[in-house]
Amino acid sequence: MPVAATGTYDDSNIFARILRGEIPSKRVYEDQWAIAFHDINPQAPVHVLVIPRGAYISWADFSALAPDAEIAGFVRAVGAVARQLALEEPGYRLLANAGLDAHQEVPHLHVHLFGGRPLGPMLVR
Ligand code: AMP
C-alpha cells in the first residue's frame, strides 16, 4: 500500500528495523550517514536501496528537516555506492518515490539505484 510523504515517522517500518539489525539485509555499503542494501525484489541486475540512518519518511521530509551535514552525507553516500558498484562508467538510474502518486511503500526515505543493463525510457506511460 502506498504511504503519504509527510506525517509522523513510524519507527516500526521495515527499513527502520533493518537499520536496527532486527531483520536481515544484504548490505553493500555503510557509513556515518547511510546504509545501502540489495532490494528484496530486484527490478534490474543491480537494484540497491540507499537509506539515511536518520528517521525521515521521504524526500519531502528529509529536504525540509535534515541538517545540512546530514543531507550532504546522504547525497555523497549515494554517489559512493554507485562508485563502489562500478556503475559510473556504464551508468545508472536513481529514483526516490515520495508519497501516494509515486506509490512509495516504505515510509523511510530510500533512493533506488538501478544498473547493470540498458534501463530504457524513464517512465512507463
Ligand atoms: P518504494 O515503492 O519506493 O517504497 O520501494 C520499496 C522497496 O523496498 C521495494 O522495491 C521493495 O522490493 C523493497 N523492500 C521491501 N522490503 C524489503 C526488505 N526487507 N529488504 C530489501 N528490500 C525491501
Side-chain angles (χ1 to χ4, degrees), residues 9-21 51 108:
Y9 183 82
D10 170 11
D11 71 0
S12 68
N13 78 74
I14 196 119
F15 294 168
R17 297 181 64 203
I18 284 175
L19 275 164
R20 291 195 295 269
I51 73 173
H108 182 110

Side-chain angles (χ1 to χ4, degrees), residues 14-15 18 23-24 37-41 47 49 97 103-106 110 112:
I14 196 119
F15 294 168
I18 284 175
I23 59 170
F37 50 90
H38 288 285
D39 195 289
I40 205 168
N41 182 24
H47 184 176
L49 301 170
N97 292 318
H103 214 272
Q104 180 181 359
E105 290 193 335
V106 179
H110 47 286
H112 297 256

Side-chain angles (χ1 to χ4, degrees), residues 28-37 46 48-53 59 62 69-88 91-96 109-114:
V28 297
Y29 179 89
E30 54 188 305
D31 67 18
Q32 176 185 356
W33 305 108
I35 70 169
F37 50 90
V46 177
V48 163
L49 301 170
V50 191
I51 73 173
R53 289 189 186 273
W59 201 269
F62 185 64
E70 201 168 356
I71 292 173
F74 180 65
V75 172
R76 288 189 196 284
V78 174
V81 172
R83 267 194 302 283
Q84 181 181 301
L85 296 172
L87 290 173
E88 282 190 333
Y92 58 92
R93 178 171 295 157
L94 302 176
L95 183 151
L109 171 62
H110 47 286
V111 171
H112 297 256
L113 190 160
F114 301 102

